[in-house]
Amino acid sequence: MKIVDVVCAPGRTGFYFDDQKAIKAGAKSNGAAYVGTPVTPGFTSIRQAGESISVLIVLEDGQVAWGDCAAVQYSGAGGRDPLFLAKDFIPVIDKYIKPTLIGKEAANFRQLAKDMEAITVDGQRLHTAIRYGVSQALLDAVAKAQHKMMCEVVAEEYGLTVSETPIPIFTQSGDNRYENADKMIMKGAAILPHALINNVETKLGKNGEILKEYVGWLRDRIIELRADEDYEPIMHIDVYGTIGQAFGDDNFTKMADYIGELEQVAKPFKLRIEGPMDAGEREKQMLCLKGLREEIDKRGINVELVADEWCNTLEDVIYFTDNKAGHMAQIKTPDLGGINNTIEAVIYCKEHGMGAYQGGTCNETNRSAEVCVQAAMATKPEQILAKPGMGVDEGFMIVYNEMSRIIALRKAQNK
């Protein structure tokens, strides 16, 4: 089944681009916006509308396969590619990708993705968002050509089996961490609430007291609202390096003291802490996470540390995994480029004793979320992010329903 055309359509995402450096430096919110001057190159305001590009691959029988190019909320931060604007990158797709795909057979996803990832412009790889969206469309094209689901193509090409049960869903609250937590509990989310703890003064507390109080509230709220006592969600809180800011990025003793206190407050629920520090560059971040994990494990503190900042690419995930820098890696799907890299990252983590969290960003689209679910049902990570958006209900619905459809269809086919 040949590819006969590639069409691009500009789109919106489920959230916004945020200048993380400006926010960490203390930019104040004004309603849904932020006040102040952006500091990350490319931003015209601290918060601006998220953009995407739908890449539509037309097959010779008239079927249309598609994927969405999207970049993370905090573009340009933590070693990531710069701001992704549709007007800047549709011409790149038209000039460098479209001519290479037209006429090719939609026969083997891994090979098509590998060829696409090898394309360079002026010696540089294509923006991660482009590789992300085009690879989704390629996976869908191969699936349509073979009359299979995307998860079945992934399973066949990578020697895997499609999950017969749902992957645990992790929901994110944004700043509305109280009301949105209620939604998560009522929906029965397996992992919650993310909580967006990205400022020491207003969200963590100079001695961690604000977050500690929130964890206690969340513990009590789960117990109060849960439908039955068997519901025991994992608390997963992203602190955006603020614990390191408050106690010292390499002060493992003080950070472990504090994390141990959080563990006690969270009981009887299990706790994960994402991004305890942001050391400013990859090597130091790896060493700090490795050192803190060793301190946590030595003390027998039952809290899992999740790598995020500076663990962006497939190569980064492998590097952090090999060095046991954390207990789990967030595989932030847009940052890895092609969805093939996400697939390989999950497989590598699982084979080498690292927890695999197939994440992403609130700043994606319904389509990228659906394709991520298809990949996850074949690779079986420990958890998958509900996305896009910060409203809980919408992202949870998209991810949950896509998994449910896959399971129902495969059961029907195997009767």
Side-chain angles (χ1 to χ4, degrees):
M1 185 76 69
K2 282 188 169 56
I3 296 170
V4 297
D5 202 2
V6 178
V7 179
C8 291
R12 292 297 196 191
T13 64
F15 203 64
Y16 302 87
F17 292 121
D18 284 347
D19 183 346
Q20 188 185 62
K21 288 184 179 178
I23 294 169
K24 280 190 172 183
K28 303 298 182 184
S29 61
N30 176 20
Y34 281 93
V35 177
T37 303
V39 296
T40 299
F43 280 80
T44 54
S45 59
I46 294 174
R47 169 167 284 177
Q48 57 193 79
E51 298 187 18
S52 64
I53 300 171
S54 287
V55 178
L56 302 106
I57 292 178
V58 183
L59 301 176
E60 60 183 327
D61 67 350
Q63 293 187 92
V64 178
W66 60 290
D68 279 355
C69 305
V72 297
Q73 173 189 9
Y74 296 119
S75 291
R80 299 182 179 101
D81 276 0
L83 196 65
F84 183 75
L85 302 178
K87 67 179 178 58
D88 295 333
F89 290 102
I90 287 177
V92 174
I93 296 171
D94 285 341
K95 182 175 181 179
Y96 295 98
I97 292 179
K98 181 175 180 176
T100 67
L101 290 182
I102 291 177
K104 281 195 173 180
E105 291 283 344
N108 184 281
F109 165 67
R110 293 182 75 172
Q111 188 59 52
L112 286 167
K114 181 180 178 182
D115 293 345
M116 181 271 299
E117 291 256 343
I119 296 171
T120 59
V121 178
D122 297 328
Q124 300 293 318
R125 298 180 78 183
L126 296 167
H127 194 291
T128 50
I130 292 178
R131 292 185 276 132
Y132 187 43
V134 174
S135 66
Q136 295 166 36
L138 290 172
L139 177 57
D140 190 28
V142 173
K144 282 184 164 60
Q146 296 179 4
H147 300 285
K148 295 176 179 176
M149 288 188 283
M150 287 179 273
C151 59
E152 294 170 331
V153 172
V154 173
E156 182 177 308
E157 293 194 11
Y158 288 85
L160 307 169
T161 57
V162 177
S163 179
E164 296 179 356
T165 57
I167 309 299
I169 299 174
F170 173 37
T171 45
Q172 55 183 339
S173 65
D175 277 326
N176 193 9
R177 61 188 61 83
Y178 291 92
E179 182 179 346
N180 277 345
D182 285 356
K183 297 178 184 179
M184 297 169 186
I185 297 164
M186 289 188 285
K187 289 284 174 76
I191 303 106
L192 74 178
H194 185 271
L196 196 67
I197 307 300
N198 59 0
N199 183 280
V200 172
E201 182 179 343
T202 61
K203 298 178 183 178
L204 183 86
K206 292 181 179 178
N207 297 299
E209 68 280 1
I210 298 174
L211 176 56
K212 193 187 298 185
E213 180 182 352
Y214 175 72
V215 170
W217 174 87
L218 182 60
R219 172 203 63 212
D220 294 343
R221 197 65 169 165
I222 294 168
I223 293 169
E224 177 185 355
L225 293 184
R226 63 185 176 182
D228 61 72
E229 293 184 1
D230 292 334
Y231 175 57
E232 294 186 350
I234 295 169
M235 292 186 190
H236 180 138
I237 297 176
D238 191 346
V239 299
Y240 292 87
T242 54
I243 293 178
Q245 283 182 270
F247 300 103
D249 289 339
D250 55 3
N251 193 331
F252 308 136
T253 300
K254 284 190 175 181
M255 282 197 287
D257 287 344
Y258 177 63
I259 291 171
E261 292 171 9
L262 291 179
E263 176 200 18
Q264 296 304 314
V265 176
K267 285 182 175 180
F269 305 109
K270 184 176 179 179
L271 179 64
R272 289 180 181 140
I273 296 293
E274 182 174 347
M277 78 290 290
D278 183 347
E281 53 93 12
R282 189 179 86 149
E283 180 69 12
K284 187 175 180 183
Q285 181 74 358
M286 183 279 292
L287 291 172
C288 287
L289 261 181
K290 176 182 173 67
L292 184 56
R293 173 182 172 158
E294 289 172 351
E295 183 68 18
I296 292 284
D297 290 351
K298 181 178 72 176
R299 297 193 194 187
I301 297 172
N302 187 27
V303 175
E304 291 182 328
L305 305 177
V306 184
D308 182 11
E309 259 65 42
W310 303 102
C311 185
N312 300 323
T313 65
L314 173 60
E315 293 76 19
D316 292 339
V317 172
I318 291 170
Y319 183 59
F320 277 62
T321 297
D322 287 348
N323 285 282
K324 298 188 183 302
H327 301 93
M328 172 178 279
Q330 185 192 168
I331 298 158
K332 189 164 279 190
T333 51
D335 283 338
L336 274 75
I339 194 75
N340 51 304
N341 293 324
T342 289
I343 292 164
E344 292 181 17
V346 173
I347 292 170
Y348 193 88
C349 286
K350 288 168 67 72
E351 289 179 347
H352 293 83
M354 186 75 141
Y357 156 31
Q358 188 191 287
T361 175
C362 53
N363 194 46
E364 294 191 50
T365 71
N366 61 304
R367 183 54 174 176
S368 65
E370 290 165 352
V371 179
C372 283
V373 169
Q374 291 278 343
M377 288 297 284
T379 58
K380 304 174 190 171
E382 275 74 11
Q383 64 187 53
I384 182 172
L385 183 66
K387 57 188 182 180
M390 287 288 198
V392 178
D393 298 312
E394 300 85 353
F396 187 86
M397 171 192 68
I398 289 166
V399 171
Y400 181 95
N401 290 356
E402 184 73 359
M403 282 194 283
S404 183
R405 287 188 288 265
I406 292 168
I407 292 167
L409 275 172
R410 284 182 56 80
K411 280 183 179 177
Q413 292 166 357
N414 292 331
K415 280 183 179 178

